[in-house]
């Protein structure tokens, strides 16, 4: 069992930045994946970014490339998502997720890869 606690969401103006954090506890393998997804109410969740606790590969959705940066602090069991140059279309609930196993890179963008989910943190980009 993995518990995920997210924080850092809020209201920000277009062009602004936010830093989301996700503290994980109880993970069973250093090779498992951590991901960020987002969801607008009434829509399916979409992939944003993902990495593993080990290794240097970080995957991003096209919408995130160049604007969002995912990082990790293994010692603190924490992953981050730095949101920059935000637009109103970035508005949504951002979820942190963790896999129970060690997925191959090819499936790290898939929601079904992840077994544990945080409560979500609301990001609202508006004037």
């Amino acid at each position: 069992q993995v518990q995920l606690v997210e924080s850092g969401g809020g209201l920000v103006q277009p062009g602004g930045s936010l830093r989301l954090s996700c503290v994980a506890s109880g993970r069973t393998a250093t090779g498992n994946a951590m991901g960020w997804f987002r969801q607008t109410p009434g829509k399916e969740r979409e992939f944003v970014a993902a990495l593993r606790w080990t290794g240097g590969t970080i995957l991003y959705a096209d919408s995130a490339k160049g604007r969002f940066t995912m990082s990790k602090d293994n010692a603190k069991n924490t992953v981050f998502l730095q949101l920059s140059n935000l637009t109103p279309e970035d508005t949504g609930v951002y979820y942190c997720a963790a896999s129970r196993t060690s997925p191959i890179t090819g499936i790290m963008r898939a929601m079904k890869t992840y077994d544990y989910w945080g409560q979500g943190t609301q990001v609202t980009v508006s004037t």
Side-chain angles (χ1 to χ4, degrees):
Q1 188 75 258
V2 174
Q3 294 79 45
L4 305 172
V5 180
E6 299 143 300
S7 62
L11 176 64
V12 65
Q13 294 183 340
S17 300
L18 287 171
R19 183 174 182 259
L20 310 183
S21 299
C22 174
V23 180
S25 61
R27 71 180 188 273
T28 59
T30 58
N32 63 5
M34 298 291 294
W36 287 98
F37 294 76
R38 69 184 182 186
Q39 183 176 24
T40 298
K43 295 174 56 181
E44 295 183 355
R45 293 183 188 182
E46 63 179 354
F47 170 79
V48 177
L51 51 70
R52 296 185 182 90
W53 289 109
T54 58
T57 300
I58 305 176
L59 306 177
Y60 294 101
D62 288 343
S63 61
K65 292 178 181 177
R67 301 188 303 124
F68 299 171
T69 301
M70 188 174 183
S71 60
K72 60 185 176 69
D73 186 337
N74 292 50
K76 297 182 178 180
N77 296 324
T78 303
V79 297
F80 307 92
L81 186 66
Q82 178 69 42
L83 309 175
S84 300
N85 194 24
L86 287 163
T87 74
E89 291 192 351
D90 295 315
T91 294
V93 180
Y94 284 69
Y95 294 91
C96 178
S99 70
R100 181 177 56 84
T101 59
S102 299
I104 61 173
T105 301
I107 64 172
M108 285 178 59
R109 295 178 176 87
M111 189 181 308
K112 291 185 179 295
T113 294
Y114 300 88
D115 303 284
Y116 311 104
W117 295 83
Q119 80 286 352
T121 184
Q122 176 71 42
V123 172
T124 302
V125 185
S126 176
T127 58

